[in-house]
Amino acid sequence: MNLSNLKKGEKGIIKGYKNDNFPIKLLELGVLPGVKFEILFVSIFCDPLCISYDQSCLALRKKEAENIIIEPII
């Protein structure tokens, strides 16, 4: 499952990335495997979406969110 599949209020853990074409800036911001997050906001057409993690918030484009592999927390 990838990050773009989640809805507002859902939580998960980042497991990895689909490919190496991932922006290094997101890694520098702490979007790393093992990080727990929550979806705060999903805009119309799911682009962008906002996640909360480690006392930070980050808006991601749908294209970026599709490259992040996650495990949902129920």
Side-chain angles (χ1 to χ4, degrees), residues 20-39:
D20 294 332
N21 216 7
F22 196 72
I24 193 73
K25 187 66 174 175
L26 294 179
L27 299 174
E28 292 172 348
L29 290 170
V31 181
L32 301 167
V35 170
K36 294 180 183 179
F37 66 89
E38 179 180 357
I39 303 291

Side-chain angles (χ1 to χ4, degrees), residues 39-58:
I39 303 291
L40 294 180
F41 177 80
V42 180
S43 69
I44 298 174
F45 305 116
C46 301
D47 195 8
L49 56 87
C50 180
I51 64 170
S52 170
Y53 67 100
D54 291 338
Q55 300 177 352
S56 298
C57 293
L58 179 65

Side-chain angles (χ1 to χ4, degrees), residues 2-7 46 49 62 65-68 70:
N2 58 35
L3 184 61
S4 64
N5 295 118
L6 297 182
K7 308 281 187 253
C46 301
L49 56 87
K62 185 175 182 179
E66 288 173 349
N67 282 325
I68 301 173
I70 60 104

